[in-house]
Amino acid sequence: MATSNAIEQLKEALKALPGVGPKNAQRMAFHLMERNREGAQKIADALNNALERIISCQRCNTFCESEICDICASEKRDKQLLCVVETPADLQAIEQVGAYRGLYFVLMGKLSPLEGIGPEQLGFKRLNAIVAENQIREVIIATNITAEGETTADYTQQMLAPYGISITRLARGVPVGGELEYMDQRTLAAAFKDRRATS
Amino acid sequence: MATSNAIEQLKEALKALPGVGPKNAQRMAFHLMERNREGAQKIADALNNALERIISCQRCNTFCESEICDICASEKRDKQLLCVVETPADLQAIEQVGAYRGLYFVLMGKLSPLEGIGPEQLGFKRLNAIVAENQIREVIIATNITAEGETTADYTQQMLAPYGISITRLARGVPVGGELEYMDQRTLAAAFKDRRATS
Ligand SMILES: [Zn+2]
Ligand SMILES: [Zn+2]
């Protein structure tokens, strides 16, 4: 083989990017080394910086660079509203709509028996404690409208049922199989507005 | 905005990858930080390693990690055959076919007046010196079959014409508009086999 070990290692490493297979990884590796070494350096630096600085909010679990994220620390958010999402990307998608003014809880995943992800692997214990220890009038479950997301929503709903507070779920304005992160803002806003009470 | 600066910087940096726009960069950034921090570290390390170690072969210009690449240093290659390509990725595509046993010269680009890339910006001076100083019986011009690749081939052919050696170009088995890097091996092998003598 003509190429260097360093190129082979880089191709291998780039396959960790979502949606990037061997052919695409090769194209990226050559492109960066041939034509954009400055860009390659920026990616390496940004990755190291992110790995070093990004931690989880002690309260809601989302990405942040301090103990408590800006949303949890804000005086302007309605602390009696709690929106449960799967990932920080989902939280960001909802924030970009700008219609929700409560707090969040990020599960950091979804229940997935096939992948060995049960309630213990996600943040349900802390979610339970938050609902137990705070005055919350409504929990909005905003997991993805996928099989695993719905299972996660069902579990959340059952876990919180004993508290006798209002529990709602996003209206199925979000197309079945869709993921919040890629939804257009109007669909997401409508789904928020039409959230339905659970039994 | 809810996300951290480190995430924003990472999204920005990832746009240096070919074919990656803002939406895809965001997806990659979240994926790595949520689900694959180990993979993120590997990418950062592989990039830094590649940036530090990959240099150009003093003779043929391709990527290598020593002064002279394995191909140029090999005793088994036919030193009277010289194949001129645009990039290391093209060289690798030809090597993967396994049918060519001569040496290479990598221009590291193509003539592109629109982008201000003239003969001085590419390796033509060194290519000229190599042909002048070595016993070469055939130069195979294997630039891409694109407008800029053909211009580059024409220039190469004219520059080397005075030496009175055989100059060939890849047969147009490679579809017009196609790039070597993405060609299937059989098409590439046929194009090599059918290379045509120039006038
Ligand atoms: Zn928080
Ligand atoms: Zn070489």
Side-chain angles (χ1 to χ4, degrees):
Chain A
M1 278 297 303
T3 40
S4 71
N5 283 331
I7 278 277
E8 292 305 317
Q9 282 167 29
L10 179 55
K11 281 159 57 176
E12 194 55 39
L14 288 169
K15 287 195 264 174
L17 293 169
V20 174
K23 203 69 192 161
N24 212 349
Q26 170 168 320
R27 181 173 160 235
M28 288 175 167
F30 277 116
H31 175 92
L32 290 175
M33 291 303 119
E34 281 169 18
R35 274 167 262 181
N36 197 354
R37 291 196 170 214
E38 200 186 328
Q41 189 63 64
K42 276 190 186 147
I43 294 172
D45 293 346
L47 283 168
N48 280 322
N49 182 52
L51 286 165
E52 190 182 318
R53 290 173 61 186
I54 294 177
I55 53 177
S56 295
C57 171
Q58 297 276 305
R59 189 187 176 285
C60 77
N61 246 347
T62 201
F63 292 150
C64 67
E65 296 176 26
S66 50
E67 287 213 347
I68 302 292
C69 76
D70 289 351
I71 295 175
C72 288
S74 169
E75 290 295 323
K76 291 178 189 161
R77 311 291 297 215
D78 183 342
K79 290 178 172 28
Q80 297 196 328
L81 278 180
L82 187 67
C83 178
V84 178
V85 293
E86 292 178 20
T87 67
D90 296 334
L91 181 158
Q92 196 188 23
I94 295 171
E95 281 299 289
Q96 276 167 351
V97 176
Y100 176 67
R101 302 305 302 162
L103 300 180
Y104 291 93
F105 186 80
V106 180
L107 293 169
M108 278 294 175
K110 54 194 179 258
L111 293 174
S112 177
L114 285 177
E115 294 177 46
I117 301 175
E120 319 74 44
Q121 278 74 47
L122 301 177
F124 284 111
K125 214 167 176 178
R126 220 157 85 213
L127 172 58
N128 203 23
I130 287 171
V131 176
E133 293 161 15
N134 293 274
Q135 277 225 317
I136 288 166
R137 72 172 189 279
E138 180 179 351
V139 173
I140 303 163
I141 303 174
T143 51
N144 288 315
I145 314 293
T146 57
E148 289 171 338
E150 293 280 59
T151 304
T152 308
D154 292 343
Y155 183 91
T156 308
Q157 185 179 328
Q158 283 157 28
M159 182 184 82
L160 299 179
Y163 293 104
I165 55 178
S166 171
I167 300 177
T168 55
R169 284 162 78 154
L170 292 191
R172 294 178 198 241
V174 179
V176 174
E179 297 186 320
L180 294 196
E181 191 177 344
Y182 304 111
M183 217 49 58
D184 69 275
Q185 299 200 354
R186 291 196 327 195
T187 305
L188 206 50
F192 241 86
K193 183 166 164 290
D194 297 342
R195 64 185 183 265
R196 59 211 146 96
T198 57
S199 54
Chain B
M1 279 298 305
T3 40
S4 71
N5 284 332
I7 278 278
E8 293 304 317
Q9 281 167 29
L10 179 55
K11 281 159 57 176
E12 195 56 38
L14 288 169
K15 287 194 265 173
L17 294 169
V20 174
K23 202 71 193 163
N24 213 347
Q26 169 168 320
R27 181 174 161 236
M28 288 174 167
F30 278 116
H31 175 92
L32 290 175
M33 290 304 119
E34 281 169 18
R35 274 167 264 180
N36 198 354
R37 290 197 173 215
E38 200 186 328
Q41 188 63 64
K42 277 190 186 148
I43 295 172
D45 293 347
L47 282 168
N48 280 322
N49 182 52
L51 286 164
E52 191 182 315
R53 291 173 60 186
I54 294 176
I55 54 177
S56 295
C57 172
Q58 297 276 303
R59 189 188 176 285
C60 77
N61 246 346
T62 201
F63 292 150
C64 67
E65 297 175 26
S66 51
E67 287 213 346
I68 302 292
C69 77
D70 289 352
I71 295 174
C72 287
S74 170
E75 290 295 321
K76 292 179 188 160
R77 311 290 300 212
D78 182 342
K79 291 179 170 31
Q80 297 197 327
L81 278 180
L82 186 68
C83 179
V84 178
V85 294
E86 293 178 20
T87 67
D90 296 335
L91 181 157
Q92 196 188 23
I94 295 171
E95 281 299 290
Q96 277 166 352
V97 175
Y100 177 67
R101 302 305 302 163
L103 299 180
Y104 291 92
F105 186 80
V106 180
L107 292 169
M108 277 294 174
K110 54 193 177 257
L111 292 174
S112 177
L114 287 175
E115 294 175 46
I117 301 175
E120 319 73 46
Q121 278 75 46
L122 301 176
F124 284 110
K125 215 168 174 176
R126 219 157 87 214
L127 173 59
N128 204 24
I130 287 171
V131 176
E133 294 161 15
N134 294 275
Q135 276 224 317
I136 288 167
R137 72 172 188 277
E138 179 179 352
V139 173
I140 302 164
I141 303 174
T143 52
N144 288 315
I145 313 293
T146 57
E148 289 170 337
E150 293 281 60
T151 303
T152 308
D154 292 344
Y155 183 90
T156 308
Q157 185 177 331
Q158 282 157 28
M159 182 184 81
L160 300 179
Y163 292 103
I165 55 177
S166 172
I167 300 177
T168 56
R169 285 162 77 154
L170 291 190
R172 295 180 197 239
V174 179
V176 175
E179 297 185 319
L180 294 197
E181 191 177 344
Y182 305 112
M183 217 48 57
D184 69 274
Q185 299 200 354
R186 291 196 327 194
T187 305
L188 204 50
F192 241 85
K193 182 166 165 291
D194 298 342
R195 64 186 184 266
R196 58 210 145 98
T198 57
S199 52

